[in-house]
Amino acid sequence: QVQLVESGGGLVQAGGSLRLSCAASGRTFSDYHMAWFRQAPGKDRDIVASITWTGGIIYYADSVKGRFTISRDNAKAMVYLQMNSLKPEDTAVYYCAAAPARYGRYDYWGQGTQVTVSS
């Protein structure tokens, strides 16, 4: 199993930036695809961005394209989400998730970090 711990959330004004970090431990980090999800109050948990174990394939939700950047450092067992031009609708709890590359289901989750964007 892999354990995930997010950090970097907080309160920011609209138009500002935040960088989320997710530290992984427990298993070989490069065996996992990684993703960021978010869940706003009263809404479903939705994927924001994902990155394959090699970093070769990256996906972004349409709502964050051009504003958010996902990256990973396999040597440090870290995944990051750089969030720029933040909007109030980006307010949510952000979760880091890991999917074993052999079957691709996101089975491992962090505890989440709150991001609040004020208008």
Side-chain angles (χ1 to χ4, degrees):
Q1 291 190 359
V2 62
Q3 291 78 45
L4 305 171
V5 178
E6 303 97 335
S7 61
L11 173 63
V12 64
Q13 288 188 332
S17 298
L18 282 175
R19 188 194 195 206
L20 304 184
S21 299
C22 174
S25 62
R27 296 296 295 267
T28 304
F29 182 68
S30 59
D31 288 344
Y32 295 85
H33 304 316
M34 300 298 297
W36 289 94
F37 289 73
R38 67 185 181 186
Q39 187 168 22
K43 295 189 177 181
D44 293 335
R45 187 176 298 187
D46 294 324
I47 191 166
V48 174
S50 65
I51 185 167
T52 54
W53 68 279
T54 63
I57 300 175
I58 292 176
Y59 162 84
Y60 294 104
D62 287 342
S63 58
V64 306
K65 281 180 181 176
R67 301 189 297 122
F68 290 11
T69 303
I70 188 171
S71 61
R72 67 187 293 162
D73 185 334
N74 285 349
K76 294 182 179 180
M78 297 288 295
V79 63
Y80 306 99
L81 186 68
Q82 178 67 43
M83 305 186 295
N84 298 329
S85 302
L86 282 162
K87 304 175 181 180
E89 51 263 44
D90 294 319
T91 295
V93 178
Y94 283 71
Y95 297 91
C96 176
R102 66 184 182 277
Y103 62 77
R105 185 175 65 239
Y106 289 101
D107 280 345
Y108 304 98
W109 297 83
Q111 81 288 351
T113 186
Q114 177 71 46
V115 172
T116 303
V117 184
S118 62
S119 57

